[in-house]
Amino acid sequence: MILTVTPNPALDVTWHVDRLRVGDTHRADAGAVRAGGKGLNVARVAHAEGAAVRAITTAGGRTGEEFAEELGRSGVPHALVRVGQDTRRSIAIVDEALGDTTVINERGLTPSDQEWADLLAAVVDALPSARVLVISGSLPPGAPDGFVPLLIAVAKDAGLPVIVDTSGPALLRAADAGASVLKPNRAELAEATGILDPLDGARALIERGAELVLLSLGAVGMLAVTASGLVHARLDQPLSGNPTGAGDAAVAACAVLYAEGERDPEVILRRATAWSAAAVLMPLAGDISPQWPAIAARLRVSHPDSDSVRKDLS
Amino acid sequence: MILTVTPNPALDVTWHVDRLRVGDTHRADAGAVRAGGKGLNVARVAHAEGAAVRAITTAGGRTGEEFAEELGRSGVPHALVRVGQDTRRSIAIVDEALGDTTVINERGLTPSDQEWADLLAAVVDALPSARVLVISGSLPPGAPDGFVPLLIAVAKDAGLPVIVDTSGPALLRAADAGASVLKPNRAELAEATGILDPLDGARALIERGAELVLLSLGAVGMLAVTASGLVHARLDQPLSGNPTGAGDAAVAACAVLYAEGERDPEVILRRATAWSAAAVLMPLAGDISPQWPAIAARLRVSHPDSDSVRKDLS
C-alpha cells in the first residue's frame, strides 16, 4: 500500500468565467469543490491506476466537512485527522477564453501540538501495511521543523522508502533525514538550496542524504539525478494543457514503482515523465489520461553528461 | 418596522491579495464571510442607524448555514426561509495595491414553487408590523414573473409603500405594479426600458405607475424624478472608495424616511445621497460612515430643468 501524507490540505473550489478581467464583475455557475492537496492528488492517480493507497490528511470546520464529503465520494481510501481550525481553501478561476487559471491559496492555520501528534500517530498506525511513504505539499504555518524528518525516521525504521515533494527548508530537512526520493522543480530547488545551477542543486540534495532527485523541468521533461549518474526524459513534442498536478502524477508513478520494489532510476523516470505528461491532458489535478502508455512510447530518454544537460537547460 | 426582502441572497466571501494578476498563483489569509444581498445591506444600514428592521431572505445547504451564522452574529433582526439548494456565493478578490475588486457572482439556483410560496408567506406574516416594504436585488434564475408584482400587491393591500431596487424585466413589472419608489442606476434604467436618455427612462417608469424614481448617477450624485418635477443632489467633490453597497445605503435612507411618513422628494434625495456617499467611505457593503451628517452638509441640491440635467449627464 502507498501511504500518502498531506500536512496542509485545501478545499479546492473552481469557478469558470468567459474572460477574467481584474476589477470587473463576472457571472459563473456554482464553484466545483474538490478535496485538494498534493498527497491527495498522488493517492488519486495511484488509486485510479490500480495501486493500493491510503491518504492521510487533516480536516476541520465547515470546509473540512465539505472536504471529507468529497473525499468520501472519490472512493480513495483515506484517514482524516480532525483538527480544530477550518481546512483552508484554494480557489481557482479559469478563464475559458484564454485557458489561464488564476489561483488564490489561503495560507492555512497552525495545528495544535496535539493535532501534529495525532497526524503522526495516524501515519505510524498505517505504516505496518505500507510499502512506501509519500509526504507531499507545503506545511501549514507554524509547523514544527522536526515534523518531516520525524515522519521520514519512523518510515525508515519500519524499512520503508520515503518520497518527499515539498519546498523551502523542509526540502533540505528531508534530504538531511535521508529521504529516498525528492521531486523539486527548478525554482523550488534553487530556492531551497540557494544554488542556481539545477545539476549542482540536485547533487547537493544527494550529498545531504537523498538517493534520487527527480527534477521536473516542465516542457523540457524530467531529470533523474543519483550519486552515480543522470537520466533525462522528454517528450518528442511538449503537450499543452493544465500543468497543475503534473508533479503529483510523477510522484504517483514513482510511488507505484517503489511499492513494487522497482529502484532503477531510468524505469522510474520514464513512468514519472509519462504520467506527468498524461496529467497535463486532464482538466483536474489528480487525474491522468488513460492514453499514458502511448505518451510513454513517445519519450526520448538519454544518459547525458552534465555539460550537455546544462546546455539543454540554459 | 422596515421589512426587506432579498430573493437572491449570496454568501459573500472576500480575499485580499497584494496584486491580482490573471494566470498567477497568490497567497491570502482566509476569506472573510458575510451574509450578502442587497436587501440585507439595506437592513444592516437602517438597523445601524437605529431604525426597526426585519430582513427576510432564503438560506440553503452548507453555504446557507454559514450565511445564517453570520447573519445571526450581525444582530440584524431577520427571518430565513429554508430552501433545498445551496445559497449561492459571491466571491470578491481585492487587489490591495490598486484597490480594484474583482467579483464573481454565482448565478444561483431556482427555488421550488413551495419555496417561493414560503418566501411570500414569510413576507405576508411580517406585513402587519411593517411601515414599508423593500424588495432588493436580482431574482434567482427561473423566478416566476409574477413574484415581485405579487409582493407589491400584498404590501399595497396592507397600506404599505414599496421600494424596489432591481433590474431587467422585474424593474418594469415593479413600475407596472405601482411600486412607490424605484432606484435604478443609469445602466439598469436604459437596459430595462430600452430608452437611452435617463430622464425619459425615469419618466417612463413614472408613467407605468411608480411615484418616485431615485436615479443613482455615481460621481454625479442622484436625481429624484416624480410626475411633477426633478431634484438633483451631488457632493461638492466626489469621494473615492468602495462603491459596492452605495445604492443599498440610498435605499436604506429612503426606507427610513418612508417608514417615518416622510414623502418630500428633496428630503429623501438629500438623505439618500448622503448615505450613499457615506457608504463609499466604508470597506464593506452594508455599512455607512458615521460622518454622514457632515457629508449631507456638503450637498449641492438644485431643481433643474430637463435640459440642464441632460447637459450635466451627457
PDB file of all heavy atoms in Angstrom, chain A residues 178-193:
ATOM      1  N   GLY A 178      17.466  11.767   5.013  1.00  0.00           N
ATOM      2  CA  GLY A 178      17.641  10.552   4.220  1.00  0.00           C
ATOM      3  C   GLY A 178      16.412  10.122   3.446  1.00  0.00           C
ATOM      4  O   GLY A 178      16.156   8.923   3.290  1.00  0.00           O
ATOM      5  N   ALA A 179      15.655  11.082   2.918  1.00  0.00           N
ATOM      6  CA  ALA A 179      14.529  10.717   2.051  1.00  0.00           C
ATOM      7  C   ALA A 179      15.057   9.933   0.848  1.00  0.00           C
ATOM      8  O   ALA A 179      16.137  10.227   0.331  1.00  0.00           O
ATOM      9  CB  ALA A 179      13.803  11.967   1.582  1.00  0.00           C
ATOM     10  N   SER A 180      14.285   8.938   0.403  1.00  0.00           N
ATOM     11  CA  SER A 180      14.729   8.136  -0.744  1.00  0.00           C
ATOM     12  C   SER A 180      14.666   8.951  -2.019  1.00  0.00           C
ATOM     13  O   SER A 180      15.594   8.935  -2.830  1.00  0.00           O
ATOM     14  CB  SER A 180      13.835   6.903  -0.883  1.00  0.00           C
ATOM     15  OG  SER A 180      13.623   6.319   0.384  1.00  0.00           O
ATOM     16  N   VAL A 181      13.565   9.653  -2.240  1.00  0.00           N
ATOM     17  CA  VAL A 181      13.356  10.416  -3.473  1.00  0.00           C
ATOM     18  C   VAL A 181      12.856  11.817  -3.111  1.00  0.00           C
ATOM     19  O   VAL A 181      11.983  11.971  -2.250  1.00  0.00           O
ATOM     20  CB  VAL A 181      12.311   9.741  -4.400  1.00  0.00           C
ATOM     21  CG1 VAL A 181      12.186  10.508  -5.725  1.00  0.00           C
ATOM     22  CG2 VAL A 181      12.651   8.287  -4.644  1.00  0.00           C
ATOM     23  N   LEU A 182      13.396  12.827  -3.796  1.00  0.00           N
ATOM     24  CA  LEU A 182      12.877  14.197  -3.701  1.00  0.00           C
ATOM     25  C   LEU A 182      12.464  14.625  -5.096  1.00  0.00           C
ATOM     26  O   LEU A 182      13.114  14.262  -6.074  1.00  0.00           O
ATOM     27  CB  LEU A 182      13.963  15.141  -3.157  1.00  0.00           C
ATOM     28  CG  LEU A 182      14.486  14.814  -1.758  1.00  0.00           C
ATOM     29  CD1 LEU A 182      15.662  15.731  -1.399  1.00  0.00           C
ATOM     30  CD2 LEU A 182      13.370  14.946  -0.730  1.00  0.00           C
ATOM     31  N   LYS A 183      11.370  15.393  -5.207  1.00  0.00           N
ATOM     32  CA  LYS A 183      10.904  15.813  -6.524  1.00  0.00           C
ATOM     33  C   LYS A 183      10.669  17.327  -6.586  1.00  0.00           C
ATOM     34  O   LYS A 183       9.531  17.772  -6.703  1.00  0.00           O
ATOM     35  CB  LYS A 183       9.623  15.065  -6.935  1.00  0.00           C
ATOM     36  CG  LYS A 183       9.350  15.162  -8.425  1.00  0.00           C
ATOM     37  CD  LYS A 183       7.921  15.455  -8.748  1.00  0.00           C
ATOM     38  CE  LYS A 183       7.412  16.737  -8.285  1.00  0.00           C
ATOM     39  NZ  LYS A 183       8.012  17.982  -8.745  1.00  0.00           N
ATOM     40  N   PRO A 184      11.733  18.109  -6.532  1.00  0.00           N
ATOM     41  CA  PRO A 184      11.541  19.557  -6.682  1.00  0.00           C
ATOM     42  C   PRO A 184      11.429  19.944  -8.157  1.00  0.00           C
ATOM     43  O   PRO A 184      11.824  19.175  -9.041  1.00  0.00           O
ATOM     44  CB  PRO A 184      12.823  20.139  -6.096  1.00  0.00           C
ATOM     45  CG  PRO A 184      13.859  19.096  -6.414  1.00  0.00           C
ATOM     46  CD  PRO A 184      13.146  17.761  -6.329  1.00  0.00           C
ATOM     47  N   ASN A 185      10.856  21.112  -8.431  1.00  0.00           N
ATOM     48  CA  ASN A 185      11.052  21.701  -9.758  1.00  0.00           C
ATOM     49  C   ASN A 185      12.260  22.659  -9.666  1.00  0.00           C
ATOM     50  O   ASN A 185      12.867  22.808  -8.600  1.00  0.00           O
ATOM     51  CB  ASN A 185       9.783  22.383 -10.270  1.00  0.00           C
ATOM     52  CG  ASN A 185       9.333  23.525  -9.360  1.00  0.00           C
ATOM     53  OD1 ASN A 185      10.155  24.213  -8.758  1.00  0.00           O
ATOM     54  ND2 ASN A 185       8.025  23.723  -9.260  1.00  0.00           N
ATOM     55  N   ARG A 186      12.627  23.266 -10.772  1.00  0.00           N
ATOM     56  CA  ARG A 186      13.860  24.082 -10.777  1.00  0.00           C
ATOM     57  C   ARG A 186      13.790  25.235  -9.782  1.00  0.00           C
ATOM     58  O   ARG A 186      14.762  25.514  -9.080  1.00  0.00           O
ATOM     59  CB  ARG A 186      14.108  24.650 -12.179  1.00  0.00           C
ATOM     60  CG  ARG A 186      14.633  23.609 -13.115  1.00  0.00           C
ATOM     61  CD  ARG A 186      14.902  24.196 -14.477  1.00  0.00           C
ATOM     62  NE  ARG A 186      16.061  25.085 -14.469  1.00  0.00           N
ATOM     63  CZ  ARG A 186      16.622  25.584 -15.563  1.00  0.00           C
ATOM     64  NH1 ARG A 186      16.110  25.276 -16.751  1.00  0.00           N
ATOM     65  NH2 ARG A 186      17.662  26.362 -15.488  1.00  0.00           N
ATOM     66  N   ALA A 187      12.623  25.905  -9.738  1.00  0.00           N
ATOM     67  CA  ALA A 187      12.515  27.073  -8.855  1.00  0.00           C
ATOM     68  C   ALA A 187      12.594  26.644  -7.392  1.00  0.00           C
ATOM     69  O   ALA A 187      13.274  27.287  -6.579  1.00  0.00           O
ATOM     70  CB  ALA A 187      11.188  27.797  -9.121  1.00  0.00           C
ATOM     71  N   GLU A 188      11.909  25.541  -7.055  1.00  0.00           N
ATOM     72  CA  GLU A 188      11.947  25.054  -5.669  1.00  0.00           C
ATOM     73  C   GLU A 188      13.358  24.641  -5.275  1.00  0.00           C
ATOM     74  O   GLU A 188      13.808  24.885  -4.144  1.00  0.00           O
ATOM     75  CB  GLU A 188      11.001  23.853  -5.510  1.00  0.00           C
ATOM     76  CG  GLU A 188       9.518  24.225  -5.557  1.00  0.00           C
ATOM     77  CD  GLU A 188       8.603  23.033  -5.808  1.00  0.00           C
ATOM     78  OE1 GLU A 188       9.105  21.943  -6.210  1.00  0.00           O
ATOM     79  OE2 GLU A 188       7.385  23.198  -5.642  1.00  0.00           O
ATOM     80  N   LEU A 189      14.053  23.999  -6.218  1.00  0.00           N
ATOM     81  CA  LEU A 189      15.410  23.530  -5.937  1.00  0.00           C
ATOM     82  C   LEU A 189      16.347  24.710  -5.688  1.00  0.00           C
ATOM     83  O   LEU A 189      17.118  24.712  -4.715  1.00  0.00           O
ATOM     84  CB  LEU A 189      15.912  22.695  -7.126  1.00  0.00           C
ATOM     85  CG  LEU A 189      17.290  22.068  -6.982  1.00  0.00           C
ATOM     86  CD1 LEU A 189      17.309  21.086  -5.815  1.00  0.00           C
ATOM     87  CD2 LEU A 189      17.684  21.341  -8.278  1.00  0.00           C
ATOM     88  N   ALA A 190      16.266  25.709  -6.561  1.00  0.00           N
ATOM     89  CA  ALA A 190      17.144  26.878  -6.409  1.00  0.00           C
ATOM     90  C   ALA A 190      16.815  27.632  -5.123  1.00  0.00           C
ATOM     91  O   ALA A 190      17.710  28.076  -4.393  1.00  0.00           O
ATOM     92  CB  ALA A 190      16.983  27.804  -7.619  1.00  0.00           C
ATOM     93  N   GLU A 191      15.518  27.745  -4.819  1.00  0.00           N
ATOM     94  CA  GLU A 191      15.125  28.496  -3.623  1.00  0.00           C
ATOM     95  C   GLU A 191      15.599  27.783  -2.361  1.00  0.00           C
ATOM     96  O   GLU A 191      16.105  28.417  -1.432  1.00  0.00           O
ATOM     97  CB  GLU A 191      13.600  28.652  -3.601  1.00  0.00           C
ATOM     98  CG  GLU A 191      13.123  29.676  -2.578  1.00  0.00           C
ATOM     99  CD  GLU A 191      11.814  29.300  -1.925  1.00  0.00           C
ATOM    100  OE1 GLU A 191      11.053  28.511  -2.512  1.00  0.00           O
ATOM    101  OE2 GLU A 191      11.582  29.793  -0.800  1.00  0.00           O
ATOM    102  N   ALA A 192      15.443  26.450  -2.338  1.00  0.00           N
ATOM    103  CA  ALA A 192      15.787  25.712  -1.109  1.00  0.00           C
ATOM    104  C   ALA A 192      17.297  25.627  -0.917  1.00  0.00           C
ATOM    105  O   ALA A 192      17.800  25.778   0.200  1.00  0.00           O
ATOM    106  CB  ALA A 192      15.165  24.318  -1.152  1.00  0.00           C
ATOM    107  N   THR A 193      18.032  25.378  -2.014  1.00  0.00           N
ATOM    108  CA  THR A 193      19.478  25.149  -1.865  1.00  0.00           C
ATOM    109  C   THR A 193      20.278  26.439  -1.992  1.00  0.00           C
ATOM    110  O   THR A 193      21.440  26.478  -1.569  1.00  0.00           O
ATOM    111  CB  THR A 193      20.000  24.173  -2.952  1.00  0.00           C
ATOM    112  OG1 THR A 193      19.772  24.774  -4.245  1.00  0.00           O
ATOM    113  CG2 THR A 193      19.298  22.829  -2.870  1.00  0.00           C
TER     114      THR A 193
END
